[in-house]
Amino acid sequence: MASETSKIHIKIGLKIKLERTKRKLSQEKLGELAGMSKTHIGDIERGTTVPSIETLNKIALALNIELVELIDVSKVDL
């Protein structure tokens, strides 16, 4: 159970990357739109940092999608 829980932030990172690349945005541009650094975006996408709900909401707004859509990782495979 714990291993599945620990994979969630990795799946969310992958989902952010998928949504970002679908919109042809660089990490730098997404960072600008979300009010954070491209390094932070990269860390989130790689799953090396666990984003807060507030951070995820800023990213969702920058991607022009609902937060619930961003965190729906049911179709993201590792």
Short mmCIF file of all heavy atoms in Angstrom, two decimals:
data_model
loop_
_atom_site.label_atom_id
_atom_site.label_comp_id
_atom_site.label_asym_id
_atom_site.label_seq_id
_atom_site.Cartn_x
_atom_site.Cartn_y
_atom_site.Cartn_z
N MET A 1 0.82 -1.20 0.00
CA MET A 1 0.00 0.00 0.00
C MET A 1 0.86 1.25 0.00
O MET A 1 0.62 2.15 -0.76
CB MET A 1 -0.93 -0.01 1.22
CG MET A 1 -1.75 1.26 1.36
SD MET A 1 -3.29 1.20 0.47
CE MET A 1 -4.42 0.99 1.79
N ALA A 2 1.89 1.30 0.83
CA ALA A 2 2.75 2.48 0.91
C ALA A 2 3.46 2.73 -0.42
O ALA A 2 3.65 3.87 -0.81
CB ALA A 2 3.76 2.33 2.03
N SER A 3 3.83 1.67 -1.12
CA SER A 3 4.54 1.86 -2.38
C SER A 3 3.64 2.52 -3.42
O SER A 3 4.09 3.35 -4.20
CB SER A 3 5.09 0.55 -2.91
OG SER A 3 4.05 -0.36 -3.20
N GLU A 4 2.37 2.17 -3.45
CA GLU A 4 1.43 2.82 -4.37
C GLU A 4 1.26 4.28 -4.01
O GLU A 4 1.20 5.14 -4.88
CB GLU A 4 0.08 2.10 -4.38
CG GLU A 4 0.05 0.85 -5.20
CD GLU A 4 0.44 1.07 -6.65
OE1 GLU A 4 -0.10 1.98 -7.31
OE2 GLU A 4 1.32 0.34 -7.14
N THR A 5 1.16 4.56 -2.71
CA THR A 5 1.01 5.94 -2.26
C THR A 5 2.22 6.77 -2.65
O THR A 5 2.09 7.90 -3.11
CB THR A 5 0.80 5.99 -0.73
OG1 THR A 5 -0.33 5.20 -0.40
CG2 THR A 5 0.59 7.40 -0.24
N SER A 6 3.40 6.21 -2.50
CA SER A 6 4.61 6.95 -2.84
C SER A 6 4.76 7.18 -4.34
O SER A 6 5.48 8.07 -4.76
CB SER A 6 5.85 6.24 -2.29
OG SER A 6 6.02 5.00 -2.91
N LYS A 7 4.08 6.41 -5.15
CA LYS A 7 4.14 6.59 -6.60
C LYS A 7 3.20 7.69 -7.09
O LYS A 7 3.34 8.13 -8.23
CB LYS A 7 3.78 5.28 -7.30
CG LYS A 7 4.82 4.19 -7.15
CD LYS A 7 4.38 2.94 -7.86
CE LYS A 7 5.37 1.82 -7.64
NZ LYS A 7 4.90 0.57 -8.25
N ILE A 8 2.29 8.14 -6.27
CA ILE A 8 1.32 9.13 -6.71
C ILE A 8 2.00 10.42 -7.16
O ILE A 8 1.67 10.97 -8.20
CB ILE A 8 0.26 9.39 -5.63
CG1 ILE A 8 -0.64 8.17 -5.49
CG2 ILE A 8 -0.57 10.63 -5.95
CD1 ILE A 8 -1.62 8.22 -4.35
N HIS A 9 2.98 10.90 -6.38
CA HIS A 9 3.63 12.15 -6.77
C HIS A 9 4.42 11.98 -8.07
O HIS A 9 4.55 12.92 -8.84
CB HIS A 9 4.49 12.73 -5.64
CG HIS A 9 5.70 11.95 -5.30
ND1 HIS A 9 5.68 10.84 -4.49
CD2 HIS A 9 6.99 12.12 -5.67
CE1 HIS A 9 6.91 10.37 -4.38
NE2 HIS A 9 7.72 11.12 -5.08
N ILE A 10 4.91 10.78 -8.33
CA ILE A 10 5.61 10.52 -9.59
C ILE A 10 4.61 10.56 -10.74
O ILE A 10 4.87 11.16 -11.79
CB ILE A 10 6.36 9.18 -9.54
CG1 ILE A 10 7.46 9.24 -8.47
CG2 ILE A 10 6.94 8.81 -10.91
CD1 ILE A 10 8.10 7.92 -8.15
N LYS A 11 3.45 9.96 -10.54
CA LYS A 11 2.41 9.97 -11.57
C LYS A 11 1.89 11.39 -11.82
O LYS A 11 1.64 11.77 -12.97
CB LYS A 11 1.24 9.05 -11.18
CG LYS A 11 1.57 7.58 -11.31
CD LYS A 11 0.35 6.74 -11.02
CE LYS A 11 0.60 5.28 -11.32
NZ LYS A 11 -0.64 4.49 -11.23
N ILE A 12 1.74 12.17 -10.78
CA ILE A 12 1.29 13.56 -10.94
C ILE A 12 2.33 14.33 -11.74
O ILE A 12 1.99 15.12 -12.63
CB ILE A 12 0.98 14.21 -9.59
CG1 ILE A 12 -0.31 13.61 -9.01
CG2 ILE A 12 0.84 15.74 -9.72
CD1 ILE A 12 -0.66 14.06 -7.61
N GLY A 13 3.61 14.11 -11.44
CA GLY A 13 4.67 14.76 -12.21
C GLY A 13 4.61 14.41 -13.68
O GLY A 13 4.76 15.28 -14.55
N LEU A 14 4.38 13.14 -13.98
CA LEU A 14 4.25 12.71 -15.37
C LEU A 14 3.03 13.34 -16.03
O LEU A 14 3.09 13.74 -17.19
CB LEU A 14 4.16 11.18 -15.45
CG LEU A 14 5.45 10.42 -15.21
CD1 LEU A 14 5.17 8.92 -15.13
CD2 LEU A 14 6.48 10.71 -16.30
N LYS A 15 1.95 13.44 -15.28
CA LYS A 15 0.73 14.06 -15.83
C LYS A 15 0.98 15.52 -16.16
O LYS A 15 0.56 16.02 -17.21
CB LYS A 15 -0.41 13.91 -14.81
CG LYS A 15 -1.73 14.53 -15.23
CD LYS A 15 -2.44 13.70 -16.29
CE LYS A 15 -3.79 14.28 -16.66
NZ LYS A 15 -4.87 13.87 -15.82
N ILE A 16 1.69 16.22 -15.28
CA ILE A 16 2.01 17.63 -15.54
C ILE A 16 2.85 17.74 -16.81
O ILE A 16 2.57 18.58 -17.67
CB ILE A 16 2.72 18.26 -14.33
CG1 ILE A 16 1.75 18.40 -13.16
CG2 ILE A 16 3.34 19.62 -14.70
CD1 ILE A 16 2.40 18.74 -11.83
N LYS A 17 3.83 16.87 -16.94
CA LYS A 17 4.69 16.90 -18.14
C LYS A 17 3.87 16.62 -19.39
O LYS A 17 4.04 17.29 -20.42
CB LYS A 17 5.81 15.88 -18.00
CG LYS A 17 6.78 15.93 -19.16
CD LYS A 17 7.96 15.01 -18.94
CE LYS A 17 8.95 15.15 -20.08
NZ LYS A 17 10.15 14.33 -19.86
N LEU A 18 2.98 15.64 -19.34
CA LEU A 18 2.13 15.32 -20.49
C LEU A 18 1.26 16.51 -20.88
O LEU A 18 1.15 16.85 -22.06
CB LEU A 18 1.24 14.11 -20.18
CG LEU A 18 1.92 12.76 -20.08
CD1 LEU A 18 0.95 11.71 -19.53
CD2 LEU A 18 2.44 12.33 -21.44
N GLU A 19 0.63 17.13 -19.89
CA GLU A 19 -0.23 18.29 -20.16
C GLU A 19 0.59 19.47 -20.69
O GLU A 19 0.15 20.18 -21.59
CB GLU A 19 -1.01 18.69 -18.91
CG GLU A 19 -2.02 17.65 -18.45
CD GLU A 19 -3.15 17.41 -19.44
OE1 GLU A 19 -3.49 18.31 -20.23
OE2 GLU A 19 -3.72 16.29 -19.42
N ARG A 20 1.78 19.66 -20.14
CA ARG A 20 2.65 20.76 -20.58
C ARG A 20 3.10 20.55 -22.02
O ARG A 20 3.01 21.47 -22.85
CB ARG A 20 3.87 20.85 -19.65
CG ARG A 20 4.89 21.90 -20.09
CD ARG A 20 6.07 21.98 -19.16
NE ARG A 20 6.86 20.76 -19.09
CZ ARG A 20 7.74 20.35 -20.01
NH1 ARG A 20 7.93 21.05 -21.11
NH2 ARG A 20 8.43 19.23 -19.83
N THR A 21 3.56 19.34 -22.34
CA THR A 21 4.05 19.09 -23.70
C THR A 21 2.90 19.08 -24.71
O THR A 21 3.09 19.49 -25.86
CB THR A 21 4.85 17.78 -23.77
OG1 THR A 21 4.06 16.70 -23.30
CG2 THR A 21 6.13 17.88 -22.95
N LYS A 22 1.73 18.65 -24.28
CA LYS A 22 0.55 18.69 -25.16
C LYS A 22 0.26 20.13 -25.60
O LYS A 22 -0.19 20.38 -26.72
CB LYS A 22 -0.66 18.13 -24.42
CG LYS A 22 -1.89 17.94 -25.29
CD LYS A 22 -3.16 17.59 -24.54
CE LYS A 22 -3.04 16.58 -23.45
NZ LYS A 22 -4.35 16.24 -22.84
N ARG A 23 0.56 21.08 -24.71
CA ARG A 23 0.31 22.49 -24.99
C ARG A 23 1.55 23.19 -25.57
O ARG A 23 1.57 24.39 -25.72
CB ARG A 23 -0.13 23.19 -23.71
CG ARG A 23 -1.54 22.77 -23.30
CD ARG A 23 -1.83 23.10 -21.85
NE ARG A 23 -3.19 22.73 -21.48
CZ ARG A 23 -3.61 21.49 -21.29
NH1 ARG A 23 -2.78 20.47 -21.40
NH2 ARG A 23 -4.86 21.24 -20.96
N LYS A 24 2.59 22.39 -25.85
CA LYS A 24 3.84 22.91 -26.41
C LYS A 24 4.45 24.02 -25.55
O LYS A 24 4.96 25.03 -26.06
CB LYS A 24 3.62 23.40 -27.85
CG LYS A 24 3.19 22.28 -28.80
CD LYS A 24 3.02 22.80 -30.19
CE LYS A 24 2.65 21.79 -31.24
NZ LYS A 24 2.09 20.54 -30.90
N LEU A 25 4.42 23.81 -24.24
CA LEU A 25 5.02 24.76 -23.30
C LEU A 25 6.35 24.19 -22.79
O LEU A 25 6.46 23.00 -22.54
CB LEU A 25 4.10 24.97 -22.09
CG LEU A 25 2.74 25.63 -22.33
CD1 LEU A 25 1.91 25.60 -21.05
CD2 LEU A 25 2.93 27.06 -22.81
N SER A 26 7.32 25.07 -22.63
CA SER A 26 8.57 24.68 -21.99
C SER A 26 8.36 24.70 -20.48
O SER A 26 7.38 25.28 -19.98
CB SER A 26 9.68 25.66 -22.36
OG SER A 26 9.39 26.95 -21.83
N GLN A 27 9.27 24.08 -19.76
CA GLN A 27 9.21 24.15 -18.30
C GLN A 27 9.32 25.61 -17.85
O GLN A 27 8.64 26.03 -16.92
CB GLN A 27 10.33 23.33 -17.66
CG GLN A 27 10.11 21.85 -17.76
CD GLN A 27 11.23 21.04 -17.13
OE1 GLN A 27 12.31 21.56 -16.85
NE2 GLN A 27 10.98 19.77 -16.90
N GLU A 28 10.15 26.36 -18.56
CA GLU A 28 10.33 27.78 -18.22
C GLU A 28 9.02 28.56 -18.39
O GLU A 28 8.64 29.34 -17.52
CB GLU A 28 11.43 28.38 -19.09
CG GLU A 28 11.76 29.80 -18.73
CD GLU A 28 12.97 30.33 -19.48
OE1 GLU A 28 13.47 29.68 -20.42
OE2 GLU A 28 13.42 31.42 -19.11
N LYS A 29 8.32 28.33 -19.51
CA LYS A 29 7.06 29.05 -19.76
C LYS A 29 6.00 28.64 -18.75
O LYS A 29 5.27 29.50 -18.24
CB LYS A 29 6.59 28.80 -21.20
CG LYS A 29 5.38 29.61 -21.58
CD LYS A 29 5.66 31.10 -21.51
CE LYS A 29 4.44 31.92 -21.91
NZ LYS A 29 4.65 33.35 -21.72
N LEU A 30 5.89 27.35 -18.47
CA LEU A 30 4.91 26.91 -17.47
C LEU A 30 5.24 27.53 -16.12
O LEU A 30 4.34 27.97 -15.40
CB LEU A 30 4.87 25.38 -17.37
CG LEU A 30 3.91 24.81 -16.33
CD1 LEU A 30 2.48 25.29 -16.57
CD2 LEU A 30 3.98 23.30 -16.31
N GLY A 31 6.51 27.57 -15.78
CA GLY A 31 6.93 28.20 -14.54
C GLY A 31 6.51 29.66 -14.47
O GLY A 31 5.99 30.13 -13.45
N GLU A 32 6.72 30.38 -15.58
CA GLU A 32 6.30 31.79 -15.64
C GLU A 32 4.79 31.91 -15.41
O GLU A 32 4.34 32.74 -14.63
CB GLU A 32 6.62 32.38 -17.02
CG GLU A 32 8.04 32.77 -17.24
CD GLU A 32 8.26 33.29 -18.66
OE1 GLU A 32 7.32 33.86 -19.27
OE2 GLU A 32 9.38 33.12 -19.18
N LEU A 33 4.03 31.09 -16.11
CA LEU A 33 2.57 31.14 -16.01
C LEU A 33 2.08 30.78 -14.61
O LEU A 33 1.07 31.30 -14.15
CB LEU A 33 1.94 30.21 -17.04
CG LEU A 33 2.13 30.61 -18.51
CD1 LEU A 33 1.66 29.48 -19.42
CD2 LEU A 33 1.39 31.90 -18.83
N ALA A 34 2.79 29.87 -13.96
CA ALA A 34 2.38 29.40 -12.63
C ALA A 34 3.04 30.19 -11.50
O ALA A 34 2.73 29.96 -10.33
CB ALA A 34 2.71 27.91 -12.49
N GLY A 35 3.98 31.07 -11.83
CA GLY A 35 4.65 31.86 -10.82
C GLY A 35 5.69 31.09 -10.02
O GLY A 35 5.83 31.27 -8.81
N MET A 36 6.42 30.23 -10.71
CA MET A 36 7.48 29.47 -10.04
C MET A 36 8.62 29.24 -11.03
O MET A 36 8.48 29.51 -12.21
CB MET A 36 6.95 28.15 -9.47
CG MET A 36 6.29 27.22 -10.45
SD MET A 36 5.38 25.87 -9.67
CE MET A 36 3.97 26.74 -9.01
N SER A 37 9.74 28.74 -10.53
CA SER A 37 10.91 28.56 -11.38
C SER A 37 10.79 27.31 -12.25
O SER A 37 10.07 26.36 -11.91
CB SER A 37 12.17 28.45 -10.52
OG SER A 37 12.20 27.22 -9.83
N LYS A 38 11.52 27.32 -13.36
CA LYS A 38 11.54 26.13 -14.22
C LYS A 38 12.19 24.96 -13.49
O LYS A 38 11.82 23.81 -13.72
CB LYS A 38 12.25 26.41 -15.55
CG LYS A 38 13.73 26.61 -15.46
CD LYS A 38 14.35 26.77 -16.82
CE LYS A 38 15.86 26.93 -16.69
NZ LYS A 38 16.52 27.02 -17.97
N THR A 39 13.10 25.25 -12.57
CA THR A 39 13.74 24.19 -11.78
C THR A 39 12.71 23.49 -10.91
O THR A 39 12.70 22.26 -10.82
CB THR A 39 14.86 24.78 -10.90
OG1 THR A 39 15.79 25.46 -11.73
CG2 THR A 39 15.57 23.70 -10.10
N HIS A 40 11.81 24.27 -10.30
CA HIS A 40 10.76 23.68 -9.46
C HIS A 40 9.82 22.83 -10.31
O HIS A 40 9.44 21.72 -9.91
CB HIS A 40 10.01 24.79 -8.72
CG HIS A 40 9.14 24.29 -7.63
ND1 HIS A 40 9.60 23.49 -6.60
CD2 HIS A 40 7.81 24.47 -7.39
CE1 HIS A 40 8.60 23.20 -5.79
NE2 HIS A 40 7.51 23.78 -6.25
N ILE A 41 9.45 23.33 -11.48
CA ILE A 41 8.59 22.56 -12.40
C ILE A 41 9.28 21.24 -12.75
O ILE A 41 8.67 20.17 -12.69
CB ILE A 41 8.27 23.35 -13.69
CG1 ILE A 41 7.44 24.62 -13.38
CG2 ILE A 41 7.56 22.47 -14.72
CD1 ILE A 41 6.04 24.37 -12.89
N GLY A 42 10.57 21.30 -13.07
CA GLY A 42 11.32 20.09 -13.41
C GLY A 42 11.38 19.10 -12.27
O GLY A 42 11.23 17.90 -12.47
N ASP A 43 11.59 19.61 -11.05
CA ASP A 43 11.62 18.74 -9.87
C ASP A 43 10.28 18.04 -9.67
O ASP A 43 10.23 16.85 -9.35
CB ASP A 43 11.99 19.53 -8.62
CG ASP A 43 13.44 19.98 -8.60
OD1 ASP A 43 14.26 19.44 -9.35
OD2 ASP A 43 13.75 20.90 -7.81
N ILE A 44 9.21 18.77 -9.87
CA ILE A 44 7.86 18.18 -9.73
C ILE A 44 7.64 17.13 -10.81
O ILE A 44 7.16 16.02 -10.53
CB ILE A 44 6.77 19.28 -9.78
CG1 ILE A 44 6.88 20.19 -8.56
CG2 ILE A 44 5.38 18.65 -9.89
CD1 ILE A 44 6.05 21.46 -8.65
N GLU A 45 7.99 17.45 -12.05
CA GLU A 45 7.79 16.51 -13.16
C GLU A 45 8.60 15.23 -12.97
O GLU A 45 8.13 14.15 -13.33
CB GLU A 45 8.17 17.17 -14.49
CG GLU A 45 7.17 18.18 -14.96
CD GLU A 45 7.46 18.76 -16.33
OE1 GLU A 45 8.52 18.44 -16.92
OE2 GLU A 45 6.63 19.53 -16.82
N ARG A 46 9.78 15.33 -12.41
CA ARG A 46 10.61 14.14 -12.17
C ARG A 46 10.22 13.39 -10.91
O ARG A 46 10.70 12.29 -10.66
CB ARG A 46 12.09 14.53 -12.07
CG ARG A 46 12.71 14.89 -13.40
CD ARG A 46 14.21 15.10 -13.29
NE ARG A 46 14.56 16.17 -12.35
CZ ARG A 46 14.50 17.48 -12.61
NH1 ARG A 46 14.12 17.88 -13.79
NH2 ARG A 46 14.85 18.36 -11.70
N GLY A 47 9.35 13.98 -10.10
CA GLY A 47 8.93 13.33 -8.87
C GLY A 47 9.93 13.43 -7.75
O GLY A 47 9.85 12.68 -6.78
N THR A 48 10.88 14.37 -7.87
CA THR A 48 11.89 14.53 -6.81
C THR A 48 11.43 15.47 -5.71
O THR A 48 12.10 15.59 -4.68
CB THR A 48 13.23 15.02 -7.38
OG1 THR A 48 13.04 16.26 -8.06
CG2 THR A 48 13.82 13.99 -8.34
N THR A 49 10.31 16.15 -5.93
CA THR A 49 9.71 16.98 -4.89
C THR A 49 8.20 16.74 -4.91
O THR A 49 7.63 16.46 -5.97
CB THR A 49 10.05 18.47 -5.09
OG1 THR A 49 9.64 19.19 -3.95
CG2 THR A 49 9.39 19.06 -6.31
N VAL A 50 7.59 16.82 -3.76
CA VAL A 50 6.15 16.60 -3.64
C VAL A 50 5.46 17.97 -3.56
O VAL A 50 5.67 18.70 -2.59
CB VAL A 50 5.81 15.75 -2.40
CG1 VAL A 50 4.31 15.54 -2.29
CG2 VAL A 50 6.54 14.42 -2.45
N PRO A 51 4.67 18.33 -4.57
CA PRO A 51 4.05 19.64 -4.58
C PRO A 51 2.87 19.74 -3.62
O PRO A 51 2.16 18.75 -3.38
CB PRO A 51 3.58 19.79 -6.03
CG PRO A 51 3.35 18.39 -6.49
CD PRO A 51 4.37 17.55 -5.77
N SER A 52 2.68 20.93 -3.10
CA SER A 52 1.51 21.19 -2.25
C SER A 52 0.26 21.31 -3.12
O SER A 52 0.36 21.47 -4.35
CB SER A 52 1.71 22.48 -1.46
OG SER A 52 1.69 23.60 -2.35
N ILE A 53 -0.88 21.28 -2.49
CA ILE A 53 -2.14 21.48 -3.22
C ILE A 53 -2.16 22.86 -3.86
O ILE A 53 -2.61 23.02 -5.00
CB ILE A 53 -3.36 21.31 -2.27
CG1 ILE A 53 -3.46 19.85 -1.80
CG2 ILE A 53 -4.65 21.77 -2.93
CD1 ILE A 53 -3.77 18.86 -2.89
N GLU A 54 -1.64 23.86 -3.16
CA GLU A 54 -1.59 25.22 -3.70
C GLU A 54 -0.74 25.26 -4.97
O GLU A 54 -1.11 25.90 -5.96
CB GLU A 54 -1.04 26.21 -2.66
CG GLU A 54 -1.96 26.45 -1.49
CD GLU A 54 -1.84 25.40 -0.38
OE1 GLU A 54 -0.94 24.53 -0.43
OE2 GLU A 54 -2.67 25.44 0.54
N THR A 55 0.42 24.58 -4.94
CA THR A 55 1.29 24.53 -6.10
C THR A 55 0.60 23.82 -7.26
O THR A 55 0.64 24.29 -8.40
CB THR A 55 2.62 23.83 -5.75
OG1 THR A 55 3.29 24.62 -4.76
CG2 THR A 55 3.50 23.67 -6.97
N LEU A 56 -0.05 22.71 -6.97
CA LEU A 56 -0.77 21.97 -8.02
C LEU A 56 -1.88 22.83 -8.61
O LEU A 56 -2.10 22.81 -9.82
CB LEU A 56 -1.34 20.67 -7.47
CG LEU A 56 -0.32 19.59 -7.14
CD1 LEU A 56 -1.00 18.41 -6.46
CD2 LEU A 56 0.44 19.14 -8.38
N ASN A 57 -2.55 23.61 -7.78
CA ASN A 57 -3.61 24.48 -8.27
C ASN A 57 -3.04 25.56 -9.19
O ASN A 57 -3.63 25.87 -10.23
CB ASN A 57 -4.38 25.10 -7.12
CG ASN A 57 -5.66 25.76 -7.58
OD1 ASN A 57 -6.47 25.14 -8.27
ND2 ASN A 57 -5.83 27.02 -7.23
N LYS A 58 -1.89 26.13 -8.83
CA LYS A 58 -1.25 27.14 -9.69
C LYS A 58 -0.88 26.53 -11.04
O LYS A 58 -1.06 27.17 -12.08
CB LYS A 58 0.01 27.70 -9.02
CG LYS A 58 -0.26 28.62 -7.86
CD LYS A 58 1.06 29.08 -7.26
CE LYS A 58 0.85 29.94 -6.03
NZ LYS A 58 2.15 30.35 -5.44
N ILE A 59 -0.37 25.32 -11.02
CA ILE A 59 0.00 24.65 -12.27
C ILE A 59 -1.24 24.35 -13.10
O ILE A 59 -1.25 24.57 -14.31
CB ILE A 59 0.81 23.37 -11.98
CG1 ILE A 59 2.17 23.74 -11.37
CG2 ILE A 59 0.97 22.52 -13.25
CD1 ILE A 59 2.96 22.56 -10.82
N ALA A 60 -2.30 23.87 -12.46
CA ALA A 60 -3.55 23.59 -13.17
C ALA A 60 -4.09 24.86 -13.83
O ALA A 60 -4.49 24.84 -15.00
CB ALA A 60 -4.59 23.00 -12.22
N LEU A 61 -4.08 25.97 -13.10
CA LEU A 61 -4.55 27.24 -13.66
C LEU A 61 -3.68 27.65 -14.85
O LEU A 61 -4.20 28.12 -15.87
CB LEU A 61 -4.55 28.34 -12.60
CG LEU A 61 -5.61 28.20 -11.50
CD1 LEU A 61 -5.36 29.21 -10.38
CD2 LEU A 61 -7.00 28.37 -12.08
N ALA A 62 -2.36 27.48 -14.72
CA ALA A 62 -1.45 27.83 -15.81
C ALA A 62 -1.69 26.96 -17.04
O ALA A 62 -1.51 27.42 -18.17
CB ALA A 62 0.00 27.70 -15.33
N LEU A 63 -2.09 25.71 -16.83
CA LEU A 63 -2.38 24.79 -17.93
C LEU A 63 -3.82 24.93 -18.43
O LEU A 63 -4.22 24.27 -19.39
CB LEU A 63 -2.13 23.35 -17.49
CG LEU A 63 -0.67 22.97 -17.24
CD1 LEU A 63 -0.58 21.61 -16.56
CD2 LEU A 63 0.12 22.98 -18.54
N ASN A 64 -4.60 25.77 -17.74
CA ASN A 64 -6.00 26.01 -18.10
C ASN A 64 -6.84 24.73 -17.99
O ASN A 64 -7.65 24.43 -18.87
CB ASN A 64 -6.11 26.62 -19.50
CG ASN A 64 -7.45 27.30 -19.72
OD1 ASN A 64 -8.06 27.80 -18.78
ND2 ASN A 64 -7.90 27.32 -20.95
N ILE A 65 -6.59 23.96 -16.91
CA ILE A 65 -7.40 22.79 -16.63
C ILE A 65 -7.80 22.82 -15.16
O ILE A 65 -7.21 23.54 -14.36
CB ILE A 65 -6.66 21.45 -16.95
CG1 ILE A 65 -5.38 21.31 -16.13
CG2 ILE A 65 -6.39 21.33 -18.42
CD1 ILE A 65 -4.67 19.97 -16.32
N GLU A 66 -8.80 22.03 -14.83
CA GLU A 66 -9.24 21.94 -13.45
C GLU A 66 -8.24 21.14 -12.63
O GLU A 66 -7.62 20.20 -13.15
CB GLU A 66 -10.62 21.26 -13.38
CG GLU A 66 -11.73 22.03 -14.05
CD GLU A 66 -12.10 23.30 -13.31
OE1 GLU A 66 -12.05 23.31 -12.07
OE2 GLU A 66 -12.44 24.30 -13.99
N LEU A 67 -8.10 21.49 -11.36
CA LEU A 67 -7.20 20.78 -10.47
C LEU A 67 -7.52 19.28 -10.44
O LEU A 67 -6.63 18.44 -10.51
CB LEU A 67 -7.26 21.36 -9.05
CG LEU A 67 -6.43 20.65 -7.99
CD1 LEU A 67 -4.95 20.66 -8.36
CD2 LEU A 67 -6.65 21.30 -6.63
N VAL A 68 -8.80 18.95 -10.40
CA VAL A 68 -9.20 17.54 -10.34
C VAL A 68 -8.73 16.79 -11.59
O VAL A 68 -8.34 15.63 -11.51
CB VAL A 68 -10.73 17.40 -10.12
CG1 VAL A 68 -11.52 17.89 -11.31
CG2 VAL A 68 -11.09 15.99 -9.76
N GLU A 69 -8.72 17.45 -12.74
CA GLU A 69 -8.23 16.82 -13.97
C GLU A 69 -6.72 16.60 -13.88
O GLU A 69 -6.21 15.56 -14.31
CB GLU A 69 -8.56 17.69 -15.18
CG GLU A 69 -8.16 17.07 -16.50
CD GLU A 69 -8.48 17.95 -17.70
OE1 GLU A 69 -9.22 18.93 -17.59
OE2 GLU A 69 -7.94 17.63 -18.78
N LEU A 70 -6.01 17.57 -13.30
CA LEU A 70 -4.56 17.45 -13.18
C LEU A 70 -4.16 16.29 -12.28
O LEU A 70 -3.22 15.57 -12.57
CB LEU A 70 -3.97 18.76 -12.65
CG LEU A 70 -2.45 18.79 -12.55
CD1 LEU A 70 -1.81 18.69 -13.94
CD2 LEU A 70 -1.99 20.04 -11.84
N ILE A 71 -4.90 16.10 -11.20
CA ILE A 71 -4.51 15.05 -10.26
C ILE A 71 -5.14 13.69 -10.55
O ILE A 71 -4.87 12.73 -9.85
CB ILE A 71 -4.76 15.46 -8.79
CG1 ILE A 71 -6.24 15.72 -8.54
CG2 ILE A 71 -3.93 16.68 -8.43
CD1 ILE A 71 -6.57 15.97 -7.08
N ASP A 72 -5.94 13.62 -11.61
CA ASP A 72 -6.49 12.33 -12.03
C ASP A 72 -5.40 11.57 -12.78
O ASP A 72 -5.16 11.81 -13.96
CB ASP A 72 -7.72 12.51 -12.91
CG ASP A 72 -8.27 11.18 -13.43
OD1 ASP A 72 -7.79 10.11 -12.98
OD2 ASP A 72 -9.18 11.21 -14.27
N VAL A 73 -4.73 10.69 -12.08
CA VAL A 73 -3.63 9.93 -12.68
C VAL A 73 -4.03 8.49 -12.97
O VAL A 73 -3.17 7.62 -13.14
CB VAL A 73 -2.37 10.00 -11.77
CG1 VAL A 73 -1.83 11.40 -11.71
CG2 VAL A 73 -2.65 9.45 -10.39
N SER A 74 -5.32 8.25 -13.04
CA SER A 74 -5.80 6.88 -13.26
C SER A 74 -5.32 6.29 -14.58
O SER A 74 -5.24 5.06 -14.71
CB SER A 74 -7.33 6.84 -13.18
OG SER A 74 -7.90 7.68 -14.17
N LYS A 75 -5.00 7.13 -15.56
CA LYS A 75 -4.55 6.62 -16.86
C LYS A 75 -3.06 6.83 -17.09
O LYS A 75 -2.59 6.64 -18.20
CB LYS A 75 -5.36 7.31 -17.97
CG LYS A 75 -6.83 6.95 -17.91
CD LYS A 75 -7.61 7.68 -18.96
CE LYS A 75 -9.08 7.32 -18.80
NZ LYS A 75 -9.97 8.24 -19.48
N VAL A 76 -2.33 7.20 -16.03
CA VAL A 76 -0.89 7.41 -16.15
C VAL A 76 -0.17 6.15 -15.70
O VAL A 76 -0.35 5.69 -14.58
CB VAL A 76 -0.43 8.62 -15.30
CG1 VAL A 76 1.08 8.76 -15.36
CG2 VAL A 76 -1.11 9.90 -15.73
N ASP A 77 0.61 5.58 -16.60
CA ASP A 77 1.36 4.37 -16.28
C ASP A 77 2.83 4.74 -16.05
O ASP A 77 3.38 5.59 -16.73
CB ASP A 77 1.29 3.36 -17.43
CG ASP A 77 -0.11 2.81 -17.62
OD1 ASP A 77 -0.79 2.58 -16.60
OD2 ASP A 77 -0.51 2.63 -18.78
N LEU A 78 3.43 4.06 -15.09
CA LEU A 78 4.85 4.28 -14.82
C LEU A 78 5.69 3.35 -15.66
O LEU A 78 5.34 2.31 -16.05
CB LEU A 78 5.16 4.05 -13.34
CG LEU A 78 4.54 5.05 -12.39
CD1 LEU A 78 4.92 4.71 -10.95
CD2 LEU A 78 4.98 6.46 -12.72
#
